[in-house]
Amino acid sequence: MLQVITSIEDIKQRIKTFKENQLSIGFVPTMGALHEGHLSLVRQAKEENDKVVVSIFVNPLQFGINEDFTQYPRTFDNDCELLSKEDVDIVFNPKASEMYPNGFCTSVIMERIEDRLCGKSRPGHFRGVAVVVLKLFNLVNPDIAYFGQKDFQQTVVIKRVVADLNLGVNIKVLPTIRNKEGLALSSRNAYLSETEKNDALCLYKALIKAQTMVNAGAKNAKEILGEMEKIINNCKSAKIDYISIINPETLESVPEVRKGDVAALAVRIGKTRLIDNTILFFIMAVFIHLI
Ligand code: PAF
């Protein structure tokens, strides 16, 4: 049965019991407003661990002053219902006042990677993410933690922090879940009108274009980005924040595409900022010799 835990002391006690009984812990950190993307992480965690903990915490530290912290969708009862159906063991729903008591001032700086891509228009965002994930890892002490590929830069930042600070948590990144038209599922899709949802498909179309060009032999990143930009700019309500083809570890823009590089973009549809990405692959030409 799903247990809701709100205090740091209680989660520590519960985790201690799991560890004493040598039970492995799978962890899915979230900000709630759960959708099929989150549930795909939960299902994988269920398959691979004895116990599954999901955190629901809208982390104030990762929102800028003019961002959507207050509007961010909060659907706690519905989230718990969904997690109950998935047979999750614990929902950890801490209070901001306990996570960040008066005097809290510690941060995590990830030189070179935090200021690229989303970090440019969301200064401080990834420090906020790194701090909360680090705190949650300390409290939940998971064997494996699960994240979605949609937040590609976030996964790179978290892997870096885990490696650099020897956290000993196995990070698994699972594919982006999309609706049947191709729109990447996101809690922020709740802000979109029906027309905007349709407009938002330009992100997916631009990524498909990049992959199609790579399949056809294109390697020049500028040329590919140009075609992606045309697709986005064709949509009146879309405003590009960035479109980039990057090295998946350094997040640096690449002039020439190599296998495993990532096409990533952030686009405003009306007032809503959406992100998406795809890992570019090359289809090998196969020659079949008939004897
Ligand atoms: O991806 C999210 O929902 C958040 O950034 C995370 C990882 C739960 C940290 O608040």
Side-chain angles (χ1 to χ4, degrees), residues 32-164:
L34 303 183
H35 50 66
E36 276 300 314
H38 299 110
L39 298 182
S40 72
L41 307 180
V42 167
R43 287 173 196 139
Q44 185 83 13
K46 280 293 298 177
E47 262 177 42
E48 298 177 341
N49 301 276
D50 299 317
K51 295 288 174 190
V52 172
V53 179
V54 175
S55 64
I56 296 183
F57 179 60
V58 185
N59 173 32
L61 223 57
Q62 69 188 74
F63 288 81
I65 21 173
N66 294 320
E67 292 187 349
D68 57 343
F69 175 68
T70 43
Q71 298 102 288
Y72 198 85
R74 287 158 172 87
T75 57
F76 188 71
D77 292 343
N78 186 55
D79 292 347
C80 286
E81 229 171 87
L82 292 171
L83 296 175
S84 224
K85 283 191 195 136
E86 300 296 333
D87 213 12
V88 164
D89 299 281
I90 292 177
V91 172
F92 179 47
N93 178 221
K95 292 198 170 46
S97 55
E98 204 187 3
M99 289 293 272
Y100 305 121
N102 282 342
F104 187 95
C105 62
T106 300
S107 193
V108 182
I109 299 169
M110 292 130 307
E111 281 169 10
R112 296 184 298 282
I113 55 172
E114 67 170 295
D115 293 332
R116 297 186 191 280
L117 308 171
C118 289
K120 268 195 192 142
S121 50
R122 303 191 70 189
H125 168 68
F126 289 109
R127 291 188 188 188
V129 170
V131 167
V132 81
V133 170
L134 185 50
K135 278 176 76 84
L136 292 167
F137 282 2
N138 280 336
L139 297 170
V140 175
N141 200 354
D143 295 276
I144 313 178
Y146 298 82
F147 295 87
Q149 190 199 306
K150 187 183 74 66
D151 299 296
F152 185 80
Q153 187 172 8
Q154 170 169 282
T155 66
V156 173
V157 161
I158 290 168
K159 282 187 199 161
R160 201 63 256 173
V161 171
V162 166
D164 291 354

